């Protein structure tokens, strides 16, 4: 699935601006990792980021999300690597994260949401956000309390990346569209 069609599906299913911003942020982080790990796959990785939570607004329960969305995407002939990555981003599905795409999606999902939250409480947003500040906020369990710190840590471990480098790559990705995301 290409980026335009992925965005169209995401927008058809999701009315919440905050959830759309989250999916765009995840897609930007996915695109940044694709440039690093699999440049020829950029659009597919970006599309996976746009689609990973597209069914969440309509089907938020663990019994339905992301299963309903993946079933719908199958009717659109979305390839199995993207579908597996979407299933694997939610620990409770029990889907192993075998591909680099799946590992990256899991690693950037919670972090992207956390970075948006960090940017929203700063006068300059993501423009001057530094990994050191993010790491300090990660220690404050009350800040963005719904974000799983374990998922962020486990995602880095699965990818074999340093947390600081991971945060920096994702911050840089968000900076590229900071104004559109409302974080710059």
């Amino acid at each position: 699935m290409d980026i335009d069609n992925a965005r169209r599906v995401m927008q058809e299913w999701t009315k919440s601006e905050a959830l759309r911003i989250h999916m765009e942020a995840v897609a930007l982080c996915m695109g940044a990792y694709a440039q690093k790990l699999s440049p020829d796959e950029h659009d597919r990785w970006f599309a996976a980021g746009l689609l990973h939570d597209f069914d969440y607004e309509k089907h938020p329960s663990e019994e339905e999300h992301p299963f309903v969305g993946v079933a719908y995407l199958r009717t659109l002939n979305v390839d199995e690597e993207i579908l597996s990555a979407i299933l694997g981003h939610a620990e409770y599905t029990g889907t192993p994260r075998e591909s680099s795409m799946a590992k990256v999606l899991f690693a950037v999902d919670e972090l992207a949401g956390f970075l948006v939250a960090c940017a929203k409480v700063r006068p300059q947003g993501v423009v001057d956000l530094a990994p050191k500040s993010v790491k300090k906020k990660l220690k404050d369990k009350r800040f963005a309390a719904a974000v799983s710190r374990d998922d962020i840590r486990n995602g880095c471990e699965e990818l074999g990346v340093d947390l600081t480098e991971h945060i920096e790559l994702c911050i840089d990705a968000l900076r590229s569209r900071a104004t559109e995301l409302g974080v710059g």
Side-chain angles (χ1 to χ4, degrees):
M1 174 167 286
D2 66 28
I3 292 171
D4 289 338
N5 283 322
R7 187 171 282 119
R8 180 186 52 74
V9 169
M10 181 262 289
Q11 290 173 346
E12 285 174 3
W13 281 61
T14 306
K15 302 306 173 207
S16 164
E17 189 63 24
L19 186 52
R20 285 181 177 190
I21 286 170
H22 170 67
M23 288 183 279
E24 292 282 356
V26 169
L28 286 166
C29 296
M30 290 291 291
Y33 264 104
Q35 287 303 116
K36 182 178 176 179
L37 302 175
S38 190
D40 293 343
E41 301 293 313
H42 174 271
D43 289 4
R44 289 179 61 250
W45 287 43
F46 197 97
L50 286 174
L51 293 169
H52 81 284
D53 276 347
F54 85 98
D55 68 340
Y56 185 78
E57 188 175 86
K58 293 181 180 182
H59 303 281
S61 73
E62 289 185 7
E63 291 77 30
E64 294 181 305
H65 168 72
F67 305 106
V68 171
V70 166
Y72 176 72
L73 293 174
R74 274 202 175 95
T75 70
L76 301 178
N77 296 314
V78 173
D79 71 78
E80 285 299 318
E81 184 181 21
I82 291 174
L83 301 179
S84 181
I86 291 170
L87 287 169
H89 93 278
E91 288 270 59
Y92 58 82
T93 68
T95 303
R97 291 179 287 277
E98 296 171 346
S99 71
S100 293
M101 178 193 288
K103 291 175 184 178
V104 170
L105 181 56
F106 178 72
V108 302
D109 183 23
E110 293 291 306
L111 180 60
F114 194 79
L115 293 175
V116 168
C118 288
K120 290 197 177 272
V121 298
R122 299 175 60 83
Q124 297 291 319
V126 75
V127 173
D128 64 349
L129 184 61
K132 182 178 178 180
S133 298
V134 174
K135 289 168 85 172
K136 183 177 179 183
K137 286 284 193 192
L138 282 168
K139 292 177 184 175
D140 180 356
K141 301 295 185 207
R142 294 170 297 159
F143 181 79
V147 172
S148 171
R149 275 67 168 168
D150 288 341
D151 283 1
I152 293 172
R153 185 177 47 259
N154 293 340
C156 284
E157 288 175 15
E158 282 184 24
L159 274 179
V161 297
D162 172 74
L163 177 61
T164 302
E165 291 172 18
H166 182 57
I167 292 168
E168 185 66 48
L169 186 131
C170 290
I171 288 171
D172 288 344
L174 298 184
R175 282 184 185 136
S176 71
R177 290 194 29 219
T179 303
E180 293 172 57
L181 295 174
V183 295

